[in-house]
Structure formats: structure tokens, C-alpha cells
Amino acid sequence: MPRAIWKGAISFGLVHIPVSLVSATSAQGVDFDWLDKRSMDPVGYKRVNKTTGKEVTKDNIVKGVAFEKGRYVVLSEEEIRSAHPKSTQTIEIIAFVAGDQIPLQNIDTPYFLAPDKRGGKVYALLRETLRKTRKVALANVVLHTKQHLAALMPLESALVLVMLRWPAEVRSLDELELPSDVTKPSLAKGELDMAKCLVEDMSADWQPEDYRDSFQEKIMALVAKKAKAGKIEDVESQEGSEERKSADVIDLTELLKRSLAGKPAAKKTAKKKAS
């Protein structure tokens, strides 16, 4: 299994399901690095003052947010750190909604979730419950100091955590200003029948191996050909490391009953307070 990039727990009610987060995708594009053709040294990005064109040292750089055109509010590193959400190492479920209610344009990056530390039974229980109810779990999760809205979904024998774009990040379809011949088309039955026949004639089963990035294949074939001919330049490289956090979370299956049992009591208490 690929290395986990995050460890924590799914949390709802009093139930905690220990899980590991694994990337469900991998970057396959061609990565072109900049090199100085005279010395084959890597070329990086300099911090340059856009007005004077001169390089600025790290000590003289502050962070600002545009308030108005040409006017910025400067924030200190301490102020920025204080605004970061607290990392709780939990995927906190906040609601269960029908899967088809989540707009396609809100879907972002998928991650696999694997059960961890005796969490298998409760993991399977949540997966099967989501499958049978045809629901997905909306959740909040903090990764690398950034807060995300996410959807927890069943996928075959596993659970998938799909990062969602915040609603404020998604533009409305109204911005397209689609004309009436698109929104209220007048289509003849013959046209629809012919289009349907064309779709049926071109229909096929999903075969992932049939779809490949031809540009990447051609570039990598060219790289292999030139490398075999000895046309390789030596370039020094530096690799960074990323810290990974983990959490030791206890799996308590029986808390599911206690979570359900506690809800009516909570409602009664709320009514008494209201009266």
C-alpha cells in the first residue's frame, strides 16, 4: 500500500474510526526543469521587486492582502498563524446528504482511506451504511494547517475522502448567460432519435488502459532515445522531506449505540432550556 500522508480518525457522535489517508491519484505529466544552457545548472525563481527589478532579501519581505487597488493590509506571521484552524487529526462528520446533491463543479481531489489500528469493523459498518442509505458524509478536516470541506463516500470495499471546493469558490452557471436556444431548445424528435442512435453506436465499456497521454509517451520515448545515445547532462538536485503527523485513536465500536441513545436526551434537555 502507498505510504500514508496523514493519520487520524473519522469522528461522528461518540464513534472514532482510526484511518490512514492515502493519495488516490499520482501526477503523470512531464516535468520540465529550467537549466542554464551554458553550465547545465538549475535555474530557480528569484524574489524580485516588480517596480525596481532588483532582488529582495527574505528579511525584507512581508505578506499583504489587497484591500483596494494598489492598497494592501500587511499581516505579521503571528497574525497569520493565529488564523490557521487547529489541527485535530479528525475527519469530523457534520452531516449526511444524498450523493447526487453535491454539484459536480464542487468536487476536487480524491483520497483513499484505509482502516488503522483495530478500526476495520467500524470502518466496514460506516461504508455499508453509506452504501445502503445512498448517502455521503460531509466532513471538516484540516490538512497541513488548511481547512477543507470533504465528502466521505463508499467505493467498492473502501472509503474515499473527496475534497470539495468551498461553495464561495464555485461560480454560478448564471454567469455563462446561456441563450434561450440552449436553455429552452426546440428539438425535433428525429434529431433526438438520431443523436441517441449515434451515442448507442459509440457506446463502450470503461477500459482505463485504452486512454493514455500521448504527449507524455512521445516525450518520454524521446528522452529514452537521447539517453541511450549518451546525450545526458549531470545536474545537482536537492530533495525535500515532508513531515507527517499521526494520532493514536482508540476504536470503540460500542459508542455507536451510546451516540444514538444520547440524541433523544439531548433534545429533551434543549426543550427544557427553551421553556
Side-chain angles (χ1 to χ4, degrees):
M1 186 177 78
R3 186 169 56 178
I5 61 175
W6 181 90
K7 287 189 176 184
I10 300 169
S11 174
F12 65 106
L14 298 177
V15 179
H16 288 254
I17 308 173
V19 291
S20 299
L21 194 70
V22 178
S23 179
T25 61
S26 61
Q28 297 293 327
V30 180
D31 186 13
F32 292 101
D33 292 326
W34 288 1
L35 304 172
D36 187 330
K37 69 177 183 180
R38 299 165 297 180
S39 60
M40 286 296 112
D41 292 327
V43 176
Y45 294 93
K46 286 187 176 182
R47 299 180 178 91
V48 177
N49 185 311
K50 294 182 179 180
T51 301
T52 65
K54 295 181 179 180
E55 187 174 357
V56 182
T57 63
K58 185 177 180 180
D59 293 339
N60 287 324
I61 294 178
V62 294
K63 294 181 179 179
V65 177
F67 179 70
E68 296 174 346
K69 187 175 181 180
R71 303 180 69 197
Y72 287 80
V73 173
V74 176
L75 299 176
S76 68
E77 291 295 337
E78 183 178 351
E79 289 172 321
I80 295 172
R81 281 195 299 270
S82 67
H84 280 308
K86 183 180 179 181
S87 179
T88 59
Q89 295 302 112
T90 58
I91 299 168
E92 182 185 359
I93 295 177
I94 53 180
F96 294 92
V97 301
D100 57 5
Q101 288 185 343
I102 299 177
L104 182 62
Q105 61 269 33
N106 283 72
I107 295 176
D108 199 347
T109 309
Y111 292 89
F112 292 141
L113 283 173
D116 192 29
K117 296 180 181 177
R118 308 183 308 280
K121 184 176 181 180
V122 195
Y123 177 97
L125 175 62
L126 177 59
R127 181 198 64 216
E128 290 306 304
T129 303
L130 292 175
R131 189 193 313 280
K132 290 181 179 180
T133 59
R134 297 184 179 180
K135 300 279 189 179
V136 299
L138 289 182
N140 285 325
V141 60
V142 177
L143 294 179
H144 308 300
T145 72
K146 185 177 181 181
Q147 186 177 27
H148 298 269
L149 179 64
L152 198 61
M153 305 177 177
L155 177 65
E156 297 181 9
S157 58
L159 285 170
V160 176
L161 187 74
V162 179
M163 298 304 177
L164 302 177
R165 296 180 179 89
W166 294 102
E169 297 176 326
V170 179
R171 292 177 174 174
S172 169
L173 284 176
D174 293 338
E175 294 187 26
L176 286 179
E177 298 180 353
L178 297 173
S180 58
D181 61 340
V182 174
T183 58
K184 297 179 180 179
S186 176
L187 301 174
K189 184 178 181 299
E191 295 171 329
L192 289 170
D193 290 341
M194 290 179 63
K196 183 179 178 182
C197 287
L198 178 59
V199 170
E200 290 176 348
D201 288 343
M202 296 181 65
S203 294
D205 293 329
W206 167 248
Q207 299 292 342
E209 63 276 8
D210 291 344
Y211 308 100
R212 297 184 296 273
D213 184 345
S214 60
F215 173 75
Q216 179 186 357
E217 289 184 345
K218 289 178 181 178
I219 290 295
M220 296 314 295
L222 181 59
V223 169
K225 180 179 179 180
K226 298 187 78 170
K228 186 176 181 180
K231 298 179 180 179
I232 302 176
E233 305 291 346
D234 294 327
V235 179
E236 293 185 4
S237 63
Q238 295 180 350
E239 295 183 356
S241 60
E242 183 179 350
E243 294 183 358
R244 291 174 173 80
K245 299 179 179 179
S246 63
D248 185 14
V249 186
I250 300 174
D251 176 15
L252 300 174
T253 308
E254 67 274 11
L255 289 180
L256 183 61
K257 291 183 179 179
R258 289 169 56 186
S259 296
L260 292 172
K263 287 188 175 182
K267 289 181 180 179
K268 290 179 181 178
T269 303
K271 288 181 179 179
K272 288 182 179 179
K273 288 182 178 180
S275 59

